[in-house]
Amino acid sequence: MTAVDARPETTTELRFPAGFRWGTATAAYQIEGAATEDGRTPSIWDTFCRTPGKVRNGDSGDIAADHYHRMREDIALMKQLGVTDYRFSVAWPRVQPTGRGPAVQKGLDFYRRLTDELLEAGIRPVATLYHWDLPQELEDAGGWPQRETARRFGDYAGIMADALGDRVATWTTLNEPWCAAFLGYGSGVHAPGRTSASASLRAAHYFNLAHGLAAQVLHTALPSTSEISLTLNLHAVRPLTDSAADLDAARRIDAVGNRIFLDPVFHGRIPEDLVRDTAAVTDWAFVQDGDLEVISTPIDSLGINYYSPTVVGSGSSDSPSPWAGAEEHVRFLPAPGPRTAMDWPVDADGLYELLTRLRDDLPGVPLVITENGAAYDDYADPSGEVHDPERVEYLRAHLSAVHRAIGAGADVRGYFLWSLLDNFEWAYGYSKRFGIVHVDFATQRRTFKDSARWYGDVIARGGLTG
């Protein structure tokens, strides 16, 4: 492929370590479509999309990028890019429609075919068990604020391990449980759309428990060479000033945004300051004896999703807020610099800050960037080309930050670009495009953007020019 570069070449070569994993990532509900085929039943996102006013333009994932029917075409694109790894998620209601009982074989067969096609193309499959599509029947029974949902998730992990454990070497239990717990049950801007601070904290704990139960099942069912992981959207939190009030605001967000997952999973404890911060919301009585032992089941790596930093100061937030226990003490401020189509600031230093923090806080834990990318207002020009120089610069800056962190001692093993395809972007519907492959949703035609060619060149060279 021909490199696409928005600035002059330099002589500085940023080479990544041998064996570095170059990947791209997607999520089932965002790309698969086929929402009612082969036994699949509604997830909470199917229901949320049909609730008036929840999703822009009333969009849904009913068809999405039609990956369910175009999977081989999409794998051919990955092979052309030269990726070594592909991170996909399994739709829980496609393989276990009610969240209970036996699997639907047609659903499992899709993921068997996907895995086989990836291996045939020389691409390493990386399976994520949960990317937000809870079977609606489990939500009707109480959803993630209920302990039973965590137990059901452990059973589902066993089903998938039995089906794909001989072919999939890397397994991620959960993707971004912070979003699923606090946007889904706290602020209500994501499915299932509930607005309860106490429910969001219970959900966060039961996500942690679900992760631990799944990790135990996977350790038992998979070959010893398999890699078990968890992906978190950790927040690079910056106080506005060094004042005591602003520093405390940053501490509160770090507690409910980061340490609510990191401390139980890696240290077997609930942060004491988080318990104090949220005392008016819950007494944490839902944490039972033995929970933290399960949650801290050892894993092999930590996935990190990063898009932009979080700047905070003392003050108060709008209600309903996803930040349980912090609403009356924290205000969020815009970071300086350019912004993406999501109105997110572009700041690669935040990624470097996260990686070096984890280097210090979690020594010996390998790290993988499981999502990083940007949405821009992409379009095909009259010749059919899609030029996205802003995305190229975004990716260049963030890969440079990863390289710098590796040089500073962070054990980063791979980078998965979000996303392979333009897709259904949750509450934004189809209005935001994150893909390096443009999708014309009317025709489902796929077109490499300039960023795809650029990324393919980076992979081929094993690095980039600084």
Side-chain angles (χ1 to χ4, degrees), residues 142-164:
W144 282 109
Q146 298 297 318
R147 178 174 292 268
E148 184 65 14
T149 305
R151 296 191 181 105
R152 298 284 68 77
F153 185 75
D155 293 344
Y156 159 61
I159 289 172
M160 294 312 305
D162 289 344
L164 298 180

Side-chain angles (χ1 to χ4, degrees), residues 198 201-202 270 274-276 278-287:
S198 61
L201 290 168
R202 291 197 309 274
I270 306 292
L274 175 66
V275 174
R276 291 193 301 269
T278 57
V281 179
T282 180
D283 60 4
W284 291 83
F286 48 79
V287 180

Side-chain angles (χ1 to χ4, degrees), residues 22 80 224 249 408 431:
W22 296 101
Q80 190 176 349
S224 60
S431 68

Side-chain angles (χ1 to χ4, degrees), residues 177-207:
W178 185 89
C179 291
F182 291 98
L183 301 182
Y185 293 91
S187 66
V189 299
H190 277 192
R194 290 161 63 177
T195 54
S196 167
S198 61
S200 68
L201 290 168
R202 291 197 309 274
H205 176 67
Y206 292 134
F207 271 119

